Amino acid sequence: MSTTTTQPAPTGHQKLTMAQALNHALRDEMSADPSVVVFGEDVGALGGVFRITDGLTAEFGDTRCFDTPLAESGIVGMAIGMAMNGMRPVVEMQFDAFGYPAFEQVVSHVAKMRNRTRGAVTLPMVIRVPYAGGIGGVEHHCDSSEAYYAHTPGLQVLTPADAADAYGLLRAAIASPDPVVFLEPKKLYWAKEEVDLSAEVPGIGRAVVRRAGTDATLIAYGPSVPVALEAAAIAAQEGRSLQVVDVRSIVPFDDETVAAAVRSTGRAVVIAEAPGFASVASEIAARVTERCFHSLAAPIARVTGFDIPFPPPKLEHFQLPGVDRVLDAVDALQWETS
Amino acid sequence: MPTAVPVQLIGPDGERVATSARAMPSDADLVRAYTALVAARRLNDQAYALVRQGRLAVYPSSHGQEACQVAAAQVLDAADWLFPTYRDTAAVVARGVPAGEVLVLLKGDWHSGYDPYTHNVAPQATPLATQLLHAVGVAHAARLRVEPTVVLAMCGDGATSEGDFHEALNFAAVFRAPVVFFVQNNEYAISVPLARQSVAPSLAHKGIGYGIRGERVDGNDAAALLTVLGDAVTRAREGAGPQLIEAHTYRMQAHTNADDARRYRADADVAAWEHRDPLARLSTYLRGRGLLDDAGQQVADAAAEELAAGMREELFRDVTPDPADLFTHVFAVPTPQLIEQSAVVADEQSREGALR
Ligand SMILES: Cc1ncc(C[n+]2csc(CCOP(=O)(O)OP(=O)(O)O)c2C)c(N)n1
Ligand SMILES: [Mg+2]
């Protein structure tokens, strides 16, 4: 039914969008492990509204990739049972805010099952969530919901910022013995880049330095990583050397890599789209401060979304942390005292 | 028990269905509905064009479902409430909310573009089935306040799978709330056909387990809709508790302009519904009874054209939304943090150049 189903096997370099890389990851895990099943709303014939599951039903049959009745709590609840009985479900919440009906299942069961049963029952399942803004979406289509999940002990929370990571992290998530909330920055779905699918990608729990720099560290994840990289490129022209760290894995969090990076520069700005109050960005700032206090020349700054409901399309650019806000924050890192 | 066959008063051929015992709406009501149908169709087509012209971000069309849209508005009194979804723009406009205000959401200037209290129309709901519980709340409050209000709450076939749909039916039944749940079964939830959504004999049957009377109606027959919905509103108003109405209709276009329906359904499936078009049906009936002639059609067309012209005018008018609004409506009294953040944006605005 779909035209883009047959994609080349994952060998060597190829130009892929993040969406295609995610599709490859699902395909490869489904091929490697017959217990991997994919389900959700419109993931079958349609291939998902973002086409991440494109062609999976055609290739693996509708017992491996299938549409469910329209109920997110049902999707996650059933995935829990299937994971309890030998399968590895990968489910899709169609958009960030449409994952909320499943909140009860996620918080009370997905996150707690291992602990409640002293490790007897584990839930190897992945909840994929297209998230965040930057696509001109109307209300309920642009939430950055990572803090809800990150604040719930028992959930691993991952978010890739490029196609290679999307592939490697999603495969790692599916292979993980514990549940993962996999947040896909939808504004990055269509960016094409050269990817080597056979390359080793750092796994769950590892942050990476995306750009070397000596004057200050920009810490970002998901949709904010390209913003940080662009800011660093502009700063370089202005004679300031900014290092960029991609967090990748919000939970578990890589204190070691992030703190080492900040110690090397002595200054840091955390960048995230979500409202800043009680956020993942706040957590990162606090952790870095605790670990790097004596190496810091300025307090850690945060450039985040404002503490408002996500704006309508024509106002969203005011909410998204842009390059200028990042550079303003860098400028304010008390350079005169160093 | 819902009937095996949906109530139909006018067949696809425009003839009165002889077998139905249900009353035909008055001639005046039918003529009024027809004028509204013509306007609703024009609204759908104009909105679709406005998407292509880049003036609307997206439009979930009710093309083909206009009889449901119009009847939902027409059976309510001014003090009653309507709870619409994203697909029910035409119903909201038929209720009297200016199209320009309704389309603010899809134009992207703000979320709800109208004041719900002006016409007793709740904001269009996107999170599926959530609004049904709000409808129950409005109805229950009306009972406690001894007001004669009836609430008509709309949702799609897919939304009946959500937990909130079931909670809403049960709450309404337990509290005997005067709510009419109006399900437009257009056979699809984006790509998922009804058969994958439910194996119940009909969606109206879902009322049985909650002790709610369920009824099925031809969703492309404006006359049947006016009668069935009208009776349901009357029963709810007289204290009979909640009512569930399932209208059998069809989503003639893609889910929205962003959707590619050919990936999951054949054009032939859609074509099979062409001859059940709600406008043609009522037009044939009215003409056969001498209630509509070319002059009458022209009057309806002219009114619809005026609506479309108004939409174009509104949507081609570029308003620059004020970012200060982002901070003013979060709380009655902005938090100190919001005041600070609003000042940051104002400062950026006062500086030269566009933000990167
Ligand atoms: C809670 C929730 N989950 C998912 C969605 C995404 N979504 C929007 S419309 C839609 C299909 C709804 O189908 P139906 O209820 O039949 O209404 P229709 O669009 O056909 O009018 C879906 C899945 C949503 N809006 N809310
Ligand atoms: Mg539907």
Side-chain angles (χ1 to χ4, degrees), chain B residues 113-134:
Chain B
Y114 54 89
D115 176 350
Y117 290 115
T118 310
H119 294 274
N120 286 359
V121 178
Q124 286 178 284
T126 298
L128 298 166
T130 54
Q131 76 281 7
L132 304 178
L133 282 155
H134 314 161

Side-chain angles (χ1 to χ4, degrees), chain A residues 105 181 256:
Chain A
Q105 293 289 352
V181 176
E256 198 185 319

Side-chain angles (χ1 to χ4, degrees), chain B residues 44-70:
Chain B
N44 278 326
D45 294 348
Q46 180 62 69
Y48 194 84
L50 285 163
V51 173
R52 281 200 312 263
Q53 292 158 353
R55 307 311 298 191
L56 285 174
V58 64
Y59 185 68
S61 181
S62 61
H63 187 111
Q65 302 176 215
E66 287 95 344
C68 296
Q69 298 286 303
V70 162

Side-chain angles (χ1 to χ4, degrees), chain B residues 162-178:
Chain B
E162 291 279 6
D164 278 6
F165 173 82
H166 297 268
E167 295 182 21
L169 259 59
N170 193 43
F171 270 57
V174 166
F175 293 111
R176 262 186 114 69

Side-chain angles (χ1 to χ4, degrees), chain A residues 126-140:
Chain A
V126 178
I127 303 172
R128 294 183 34 248
V129 188
Y131 88 119
I135 59 158
V138 297
E139 57 176 357
H140 314 296

Side-chain angles (χ1 to χ4, degrees), chain A residues 164-183:
Chain A
D165 258 18
Y167 178 79
L169 280 178
L170 184 53
R171 289 204 67 170
I174 297 170
S176 170
D178 282 319
V180 173
V181 176
F182 195 86
L183 301 168

